[in-house]
Amino acid sequence: TALLAGIIAFSQWDIKKVLAYSTVSQLGFMVAAAGMGAYVAAMFHLITHAFFKALLFLSAGSVIHGVEHGHHELALAQGAAHGADHEGHGDHGEVDEAEDKFDAQDMRNMGGLRHHMRTTYWVYLIGALALSGFPPLAGFWSKDEILAHANQNYFIVYIILALAAVCTAFYMGRQIKLVFFGEPRHPASGHAHESPPLMTVPLAILAVLAALGGLINLPYFSAGMAEAADNHPEGVFFMLESWLEHSIASFELSEAGLVHLPHIEPLALNYVVAGMSIILAIGAFFIAFSVVYGNRPRTAEEPDPFREIPVVGPIVWWFAILPLDTLYNRGVVPAYNATARWLAHSLDWAFWHDFVHDSIIRDFFVGFARFSSNVLDAKGLDGALVNGSARLTRRLADVLRQAQTGYVRNYALGLLLGVVVLLAYFLFMAG
């Protein structure tokens, strides 16, 4: 992830897309650190990355704001001139259709902004150098800690991350050159103005954090210093590690000898790894800034010079663009949309809603409700129990009513017969 996203950032023209792919790349560094068991290094890079990447994204917003206002100023000037030439014709203030399509985020439309937006330039440069791993800025300390752990424990991971770090320095050198140096490749950049303090003051604060953020987890500068402190965080050294060791259960498991975590004991600064990181960062930044993009592109229409590098340029450009524009946008996206439509219309609506819900659940419920109403309730409860008990009572009443004649002689005869039956019963029982 760190390497792939870094390569993709090479070919982006949108100032924010470069930073977006850079963020994905740095997330690859963090996950790689966590995968190696270097949890503190991962958290350390997450914190410092928050400083300089927030600085870069907000500074990019300042750049877009300045270029957009330069474009508006240019459009108003052109509109005024156009209106003066066509006074009385009702088309005052018209702007060319090409100008309506102007993209203030496209770095091909920028250039030379360091002369017009000095504060934004300096804070952006600090963020770019911090991201690239220039010492003593924050990104150097956090990224170097990850590289040191990888070099000590997983050398293949170290090689991959070192290449990703080269990519980082290269595309940031490319971006600094395209945005702030050279001549403006669009008149809008020549009319850009610095953003107001409401925008630049927060950038200055973030620039300080991007410069000094590495102080929260400085390594020991020699093995002797680490041994003198019993290889444990102390003072200004590894403060973040000392702070986190009580919140990560793995520390206790390591102390008990159950888990081996190579990052538990603070390491002294690895000058070989650090020196190599510095050389790679400066070299990649310099190659992008002075060699590949030294004098080009001079116009917005001129192709990217990186594409003209023999072998490497076309391969990287194909690798960065083709998988996204062709494979992803023309393959993965349509397939995903077709699958989503099938899931929504066929599976969810036609099958689940129409068939399962309407045909099975609803029809079964309606059928059972009708059976309950017409059979169980009408014929069972009402017919058999309620109305049936009423009919039975009426019939019994009709039978018993026959015994009620209204003549006393009939009642006396019935009484006499009853006495005779009782006497016969008792005599029979006594005999």
Side-chain angles (χ1 to χ4, degrees):
T1 301
L3 182 59
L4 174 61
I7 294 175
I8 293 175
F10 281 11
S11 58
Q12 300 304 308
W13 288 113
D14 189 308
I15 185 174
K16 292 173 67 178
K17 281 189 177 181
V18 175
L19 301 179
Y21 282 111
S22 172
T23 299
V24 176
S25 179
Q26 300 309 306
L27 288 173
F29 275 88
M30 301 170 203
V31 175
M36 293 185 293
Y39 304 122
V40 177
M43 182 63 70
F44 184 27
H45 195 53
L46 175 65
I47 295 172
T48 60
H49 180 261
F51 295 154
F52 51 73
K53 190 53 65 69
L55 169 62
L56 288 170
F57 266 114
L58 292 178
S59 298
S62 177
V63 169
I64 296 168
H65 178 270
V67 173
E68 187 68 44
H69 277 261
H71 175 251
H72 288 320
E73 182 178 309
L74 179 65
L76 290 175
Q78 291 178 345
H82 190 76
D85 293 338
H86 298 82
E87 186 175 358
H89 290 82
D91 55 0
H92 178 77
E94 289 187 0
V95 182
D96 292 341
E97 182 179 353
E99 290 299 316
D100 291 336
K101 299 179 180 179
F102 175 76
D103 186 359
Q105 297 183 197
D106 194 329
M107 295 187 297
R108 287 172 292 191
N109 294 327
M110 300 178 189
L113 290 179
R114 77 183 191 279
H115 301 299
H116 306 282
M117 307 180 69
R118 294 186 178 277
T119 302
T120 300
Y121 161 67
W122 283 110
V123 296
Y124 206 106
L125 181 62
I126 292 174
L129 296 179
L131 172 60
S132 301
F134 278 63
L137 305 178
F140 166 76
W141 301 106
S142 58
K143 190 179 295 185
D144 185 73
E145 185 171 342
I146 296 175
L147 292 174
H149 283 290
N151 178 71
Q152 179 177 343
N153 301 285
Y154 305 93
F155 190 71
I156 295 179
V157 177
Y158 168 73
I159 296 298
I160 296 173
L161 293 182
L163 292 175
V166 171
C167 293
T168 303
F170 185 91
Y171 62 68
M172 290 313 298
R174 169 181 182 264
Q175 188 175 64
I176 291 294
K177 184 70 174 184
L178 291 174
V179 174
F180 295 102
F181 286 82
E183 297 298 325
R185 291 179 294 279
H186 191 282
S189 296
H191 289 76
H193 299 287
E194 183 60 88
S195 299
L198 182 66
M199 298 175 67
T200 56
V201 170
L203 298 182
I205 296 173
L206 287 171
V208 173
L209 293 174
L212 303 179
L215 298 177
I216 64 174
N217 207 51
L218 284 179
Y220 289 104
F221 296 122
S222 68
M225 293 178 63
E227 293 177 0
D230 296 326
N231 288 322
H232 196 275
E234 183 179 85
V236 297
F237 301 107
F238 289 99
M239 290 188 292
L240 182 63
E241 187 138 2
S242 177
W243 184 63
L244 288 177
E245 67 179 355
H246 303 293
S247 61
I248 300 178
S250 300
F251 281 96
E252 299 179 4
L253 297 177
S254 177
E255 292 176 357
L258 301 177
V259 174
H260 172 64
L261 294 179
H263 73 292
I264 294 299
E265 294 184 357
L267 302 174
L269 180 64
N270 189 324
Y271 286 95
V272 175
V273 174
M276 185 62 65
S277 300
I278 295 172
I279 293 173
L280 292 177
I282 295 176
F285 197 95
F286 174 80
I287 291 173
F289 187 90
S290 299
V291 179
V292 179
Y293 296 91
N295 297 315
R296 297 174 56 194
R298 297 184 180 88
T299 63
E301 294 75 20
E302 188 176 345
D304 194 306
F306 184 80
R307 300 182 63 175
E308 300 178 4
I309 299 177
V311 182
V312 177
I315 291 177
V316 172
W317 202 268
W318 176 90
F319 188 74
I321 292 296
L322 189 60
L324 294 178
D325 289 350
T326 301
L327 178 63
Y328 185 78
N329 290 331
R330 300 183 185 180
V332 176
V333 172
Y336 176 85
N337 291 336
T339 304
R341 283 191 296 268
W342 181 84
L343 291 173
H345 298 291
S346 300
L347 182 63
D348 181 60
W349 191 257
F351 175 75
W352 176 249
H353 183 272
D354 292 348
F355 177 72
V356 176
H357 181 269
D358 291 348
S359 300
I360 298 179
I361 299 176
R362 186 200 63 185
D363 292 351
F364 174 79
F365 178 80
V366 171
F368 181 75
R370 289 174 178 170
F371 173 78
S372 300
S373 175
N374 299 333
V375 178
L376 296 180
D377 185 55
K379 296 182 179 181
L381 295 177
D382 291 344
L385 295 179
V386 179
N387 297 330
S389 61
R391 287 192 296 269
L392 178 62
T393 302
R394 183 181 295 111
R395 291 175 182 176
L396 289 175
D398 291 340
V399 172
L400 293 175
R401 187 173 58 186
Q402 300 300 321
Q404 303 296 322
T405 63
Y407 296 106
V408 175
R409 61 180 180 273
N410 291 339
Y411 301 150
L413 178 60
L415 180 62
L416 176 60
L417 292 176
V419 171
V420 171
V421 171
L422 289 175
L423 288 175
Y425 172 77
F426 289 138
L427 290 174
F428 177 79
M429 295 300 294

